[in-house]
Amino acid sequence: MTHGFQIDVALSDGFHLIRRRPGDVLAWGVILALPVMLSVIVMIDLFMTIGPEAIAEDADPSPQALAAMMRMQAWSMLINVVQLIGYVLIIAAICRAVLWPERAPGRFFDLRVGMDEARVAVAGLAVMAGCYGVVLVVLLLAFAFGAAFWMVSETAAVVLGVAVGLAGIVGIVWAGLRTSMIMPLSIASQDFAFVAGWKMTKGRVGMLLGLFVATLAVTFLVHVLFLIVAGLIALGVSIPFWPQLAAWAQSASSELPAFNPLVVAVAGVAAFIAIAAYYGVIVAIWIAPGASACRQMLAMQKQDETGAAALS
């Protein structure tokens, strides 16, 4: 029997997770939003150090500006590493929450450092390395075929190069779908499941593609809905400040208008909470469907094995 899964159940598990554990989802969003906020602060520091006049005049950077650029690069690399670590911890927590929904969450929003996180990191790095390798091979093949046919016909070379590129994209998508169960299955089996995850997706590429497209569509709809709601709220909150902003725009002053510091602080905190909630919801509805599909296929496989044992 084919051990499949239901796409609608997989999609709904992300929203069930948000409803069951809203505090954890918000905390996960805070962890993902903090590096973004730090990146913005670093960019503001660079802009203030260089100065708007120097940027407008395209002048040579001063020693202070060069130091700020080097500082921004160092902070950017550190922020990227912290963000990747945060994603590993959160992906492992989401997989545990979806694979075993009956379990009580652990401390610190079920974020921990253990073998689950190590399996997620190793599986993720392996899949990424494989994808980059396939991309490199596809580019080399496209260039080789294009160069080989260039002397015969430029049009044929371009068409053949594009065809090889498209075939490579199809291959990358196929490989990505075939390896999509390695990460959740590694957590479910408490072992690295490279071979088992590859076997689990055999014959189910079509269903997994449908799940991926549906997840992408739902994520896009949530993103658009968030932008609309956030835009309407921001528009409504900014109405009392329109006269002050209009006067500042007409004065053509280079200095920012003087707002009440308390109002600015409250608006900043509210905006950060909204951004954190957005990140938490997006990562939940993006990761949960794959873990749900893995849980469903494992459950159906167990039922089939039990039925076969009973018949024998």
Side-chain angles (χ1 to χ4, degrees):
M1 182 181 294
T2 301
H3 316 302
F5 59 91
Q6 295 180 339
I7 293 179
D8 57 340
V9 174
L11 291 175
S12 63
D13 272 343
F15 295 97
H16 291 162
L17 174 61
I18 296 170
R19 185 177 60 186
R20 285 189 291 113
R21 297 164 60 176
D24 291 359
V25 173
L26 179 61
W28 299 338
V30 169
I31 293 173
L32 296 179
L34 278 174
V36 178
M37 184 184 70
L38 292 176
S39 299
V40 173
I41 293 174
V42 171
M43 290 298 298
I44 292 176
D45 172 68
L46 177 64
F47 179 79
M48 298 301 294
T49 302
I50 297 177
E53 293 82 5
I55 296 177
E57 296 175 359
D58 196 18
D60 293 334
S62 62
Q64 294 82 1
L66 292 175
M69 292 179 184
M70 296 179 63
R71 186 166 60 247
M72 183 197 70
Q73 292 177 353
W75 274 107
S76 297
M77 290 188 291
L78 179 61
I79 289 171
N80 290 334
V81 172
V82 171
Q83 195 170 35
L84 287 175
I85 294 174
Y87 271 111
V88 169
L89 300 180
I90 292 168
I91 290 173
I94 292 175
C95 288
R96 283 192 296 267
V98 176
L99 289 170
W100 301 288
E102 70 282 354
R103 290 187 183 180
R107 296 180 298 175
F108 307 113
F109 313 104
D110 205 23
L111 299 174
R112 63 187 76 165
V113 178
M115 286 305 300
D116 285 346
E117 288 68 27
R119 295 183 186 101
V120 168
V122 172
L125 289 174
V127 172
M128 288 177 58
C131 289
Y132 280 120
V134 172
V135 170
L136 179 61
V137 171
V138 169
L139 291 176
L140 291 176
L141 287 176
F143 178 78
F145 280 109
F149 282 84
W150 188 262
M151 300 302 295
V152 178
S153 172
E154 296 182 2
T155 303
V158 172
V159 171
L160 185 60
V162 171
V164 172
L166 292 177
I169 292 174
V170 173
I172 292 170
V173 172
W174 177 84
L177 295 173
R178 286 299 308 271
T179 58
S180 60
M181 291 295 109
I182 292 177
M183 199 176 294
L185 186 58
S186 296
I187 295 179
S189 62
Q190 299 293 290
D191 194 7
F192 292 103
F194 292 102
V195 176
W198 181 268
K199 291 181 179 179
M200 175 177 277
T201 58
K202 183 179 180 180
R204 304 180 183 93
V205 173
M207 290 187 66
L208 290 170
L209 179 61
L211 177 62
F212 172 75
V213 173
T215 304
L216 189 64
V218 171
T219 305
F220 177 76
L221 290 176
V222 171
H223 173 75
V224 172
L225 181 62
F226 174 83
L227 290 179
I228 293 174
V229 173
L232 292 175
I233 293 175
L235 180 63
V237 172
S238 66
I239 290 177
F241 303 98
W242 284 3
Q244 187 176 0
L245 291 172
W248 171 73
Q250 293 176 359
S251 66
S253 175
S254 60
E255 298 182 358
L256 296 175
F259 294 111
N260 188 323
L262 180 61
V263 174
V264 174
V266 171
V269 172
F272 178 77
I273 293 175
I275 294 173
Y278 165 78
Y279 273 102
V281 169
I282 290 296
V283 73
I285 63 177
W286 183 254
I287 300 299
S292 175
C294 179
R295 186 196 68 216
Q296 293 181 59
M297 287 189 283
L298 286 175
M300 294 185 67
Q301 183 179 7
K302 185 176 181 181
Q303 290 177 4
D304 290 346
E305 291 174 354
T306 303
L311 290 174
S312 61

